[in-house]
């Protein structure tokens, strides 16, 4: 079933920016002559304050990894996303905002966007923010989130957006790690008819931060908040007072644009650093070509700006292209499961980009919710965040796409800046469950994890690496370049290691099989098992914890926690709930274990290392195939774990 190939429809090919022959030709040039290829693209797609003379200066060679693109050029991201459109499209809608409340929406033109961003930038300056300072954003999906990102870019401040679903502790860690000068938040975040008290969370977070950190508050719902005089600032009131003019800062192409924290297999989340020129070029180009965006289209990516998808494909890519980008505050199931489709109908959306977890959730609600809406404006469907299972792909294709729309399954990561493997709609036939082929300049290698050698045959199975730098890739881990080198460039020297497993088929198509490290993907949210473990062991009653992923029908993967209690503490349902709430408080609701098993002991080697392979098998309900357990210090613990396993599906 999954090997069936879907050729692009004639109308898709006719309209597409890139057809099959052009893809082959452009791809070949991008690999053979990267300097020529990317130099041309960068000059054509971006406005430079100072033209670059050097395109690429990059090496993956261990341990001196260093990536630079357009390094002697200067530009400003905000000028590229806003100012340069004023001459031609000042009155076109830049941001189409759909509130959580289906009766409320707003259209912000490029002219209005320019004014708001300049005012916000002047408020930041008034608070003493200067080029290079870090600013943390903890906001709902409201236009102010985009204003704040662009305002930072305008004055050269480095933003770090923290997903509004993260807890005060997680927020505090990110403010402290980036030594941010200022936090921008809102009173409340409405989602699905409920409200999260963001400002209250921010207040709690700031108790753990330097008292120099200022807090700008967007009064969004008007909900009650406590106010700390001298620290808290009403942004909208200040924006009304300051000048609507703000010059753009000249930025070197390699100056940082933003930091985004993401989970890895060990330790605390890492601050992934993206820079200015290469990132914007990659975001803009992929947005135009992968989604086949044309002037006048209405484009909707349902991600949250707290994740990289929201950065590249709600804000930077679309706005660099002068697009109309839809920003949605709500959830797919509120007021009911037709919301996505109603929004597509209401705003005549042309490109729709979402995550498999949302598709699976909506599939379960029945087709009538889709049928109820007129989806004739749609021209393309996209998927991102996790492998899309063929059932979900086929449903998306049949029920939403009416078997006439191309589906682009886009594989990429926070570290990548933009899409690396995906179909181009008019050029590449699709196969359900495959991200298909690499984007321009992207040279994937399937590497044998045992030997560390690249598998040269077309058909191959192994781990997914990249052989060469692409413009949008991250440049470092904030404050810890050694961690950058050791996490991504050390296991397989000379390559960027993605952490994903993959298969390449006889047609050279890539099939991503999921993470091969201790990172799990829960509803498209990336989570390190180590993070959940350290949250659990921080509880006074927990002696030890091990966390693994297991297959979950809706979420893709669920979180399975094995917990050993301190001597004298007894398992109980109340304690189970207490631990679950504890993790929620430490990290956020997305990290709550789905299943929690009391483990009198954990399977360990004689040297004390936890055998995660065994824990994964039990969590997957595949205990029949545990393999060799004779090397365990105490094989009998496994019996108990199997007997009391929580997943019996
Ligand atoms: O495992 C891959 C999965 O999501 C991981 C990256 O997560 P994050 O950095 O949060 O970025 C998500 C959005 C860009 C990858 O290592 N992943 C993402 N997209 C796909 C995917 N797995 C399979 N197919 C995809 N299209």
């Amino acid at each position: 079933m999954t090997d069936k190939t879907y050729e692009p429809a004639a109308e898709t090919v006719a309209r597409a920016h890139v057809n099959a022959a052009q893809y082959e030709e452009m791809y070949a040039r991008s690999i053979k002559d990267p300097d020529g290829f990317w130099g041309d693209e960068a000059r054509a797609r971006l406005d430079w304050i100072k033209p670059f003379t050097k395109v690429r200066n990059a090496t993956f060679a261990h341990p001196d990894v260093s990536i630079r693109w357009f390094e002697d050029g200067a530009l400003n991201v905000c000028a590229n996303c806003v100012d340069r459109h004023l001459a031609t499209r000042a009155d076109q809608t830049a941001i189409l905002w759909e509130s959580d409340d289906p009766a409320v929406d707003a259209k912000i033109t490029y002219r209005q966007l320019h004014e708001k961003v300049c005012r916000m930038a002047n408020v930041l300056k008034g608070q003493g923010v200067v080029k290079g300072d870090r600013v943390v954003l903890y906001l709902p999906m409201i236009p102010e989130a985009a204003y704040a990102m662009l305002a930072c870019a305008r004055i050269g401040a480095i933003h770090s957006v923290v997903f509004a679903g993260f807890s005060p502790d997680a927020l505090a860690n990110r403010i402290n790690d980036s030594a941010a000068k200022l936090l921008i938040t809102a009173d409340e975040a409405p989602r699905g008819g409920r409200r999260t008290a963001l400002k209250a969370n921010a207040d709690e977070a700031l108790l753990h931060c330097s008292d120099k950190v200022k807090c700008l508050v967007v009064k969004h719902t008007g909900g009650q908040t406590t106010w700390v005089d001298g620290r808290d600032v009403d942004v909208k009131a200040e924006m009304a007072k300051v000048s609507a003019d703000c010059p753009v800062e000249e930025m070197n192409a390699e100056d940082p644009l933003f930091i985004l924290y993401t989970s890895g297999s060990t330790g605390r989340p890492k601050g992934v650093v993206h820079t200015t020129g290469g990132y914007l070029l990659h975001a803009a180009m992929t947005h135009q070509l992968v989604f086949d965006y044309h002037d006048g289209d209405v484009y909707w990516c349902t991600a949250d700006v707290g994740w990289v998808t929201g950065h590249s494909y709600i804000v930077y890519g679309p706005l660099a292209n002068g697009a109309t980008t839809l920003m949605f505050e709500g959830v797919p199931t509120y007021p009911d499961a037709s919301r996505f489709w109603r929004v597509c109908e209401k705003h005549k959306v042309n490109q729709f980009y979402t995550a498999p977890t949302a598709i699976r959730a909506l599939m379960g609600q029945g087709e009538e919710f889709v049928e109820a809406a007129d989806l004739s404006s749609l021209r393309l469907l996209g998927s991102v965040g996790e492998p899309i299972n063929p059932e979900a792909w086929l449903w998306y294709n049949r029920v939403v796409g009416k078997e006439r729309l191309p589906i682009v399954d886009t594989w990429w990561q926070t570290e990548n800046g933009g899409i690396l493997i995906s179909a181009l709609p008019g050029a590449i036939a699709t196969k359900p469950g495959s991200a298909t082929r690499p984007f321009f300049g992207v040279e994937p290698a399937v590497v044998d994890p045992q030997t560390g050698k690249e598998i040269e045959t077309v058909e191959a199975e192994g781990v997914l690496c990249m052989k060469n730098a692409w413009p949008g890739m991250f440049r470092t881990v904030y404050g810890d370049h050694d961690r950058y080198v050791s996490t991504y460039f050390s296991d397989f020297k000379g390559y960027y290691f993605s952490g994903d497993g993959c298969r390449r088929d006889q047609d050279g198509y890539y099939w991503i099989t999921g993470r091969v490290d201790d990172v799990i993907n829960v509803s498209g949210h990336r989570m390190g098992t180590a993070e959940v473990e350290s949250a659990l062991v921080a509880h006074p009653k927990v002696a030890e914890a091990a966390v693994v992923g297991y297959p979950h029908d809706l979420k893709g993967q669920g979180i399975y926690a094995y917990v050993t209690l301190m001597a004298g503490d007894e398992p109980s349902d109340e304690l189970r709930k207490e631990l679950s709430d504890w993790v929620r408080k430490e990290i956020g609701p997305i990290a709550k274990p789905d299943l929690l098993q009391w483990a009198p002991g954990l399977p360990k080697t004689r040297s004390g290392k936890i055998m995660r392979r065994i824990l994964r098998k039990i969590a997957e309900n595949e205990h029949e195939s545990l393999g060799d357990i004779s090397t365990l210090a105490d094989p009998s613990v496994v019996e108990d774990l199997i007997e009391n396993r929580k997943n019996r599906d």
Side-chain angles (χ1 to χ4, degrees), residues 166 174 262-265 267-269 526-536 587:
F166 277 124
R174 287 155 173 80
T262 193
S263 300
S265 30
R268 278 197 180 174
R526 179 164 156 183
M527 185 58 52
T529 54
E531 273 172 82
V532 186
E533 286 165 8
S534 63
L536 282 167
I587 307 176

Side-chain angles (χ1 to χ4, degrees), residues 280-302:
L280 190 63
L281 173 61
H282 187 183
M285 185 170 172
T286 47
H287 170 261
Q288 189 204 28
L289 302 185
V290 174
F291 303 109
D292 200 41
Y293 186 85
H294 292 260
D295 258 356
D297 286 349
V298 175
Y299 158 88
W300 182 16
C301 164
T302 70

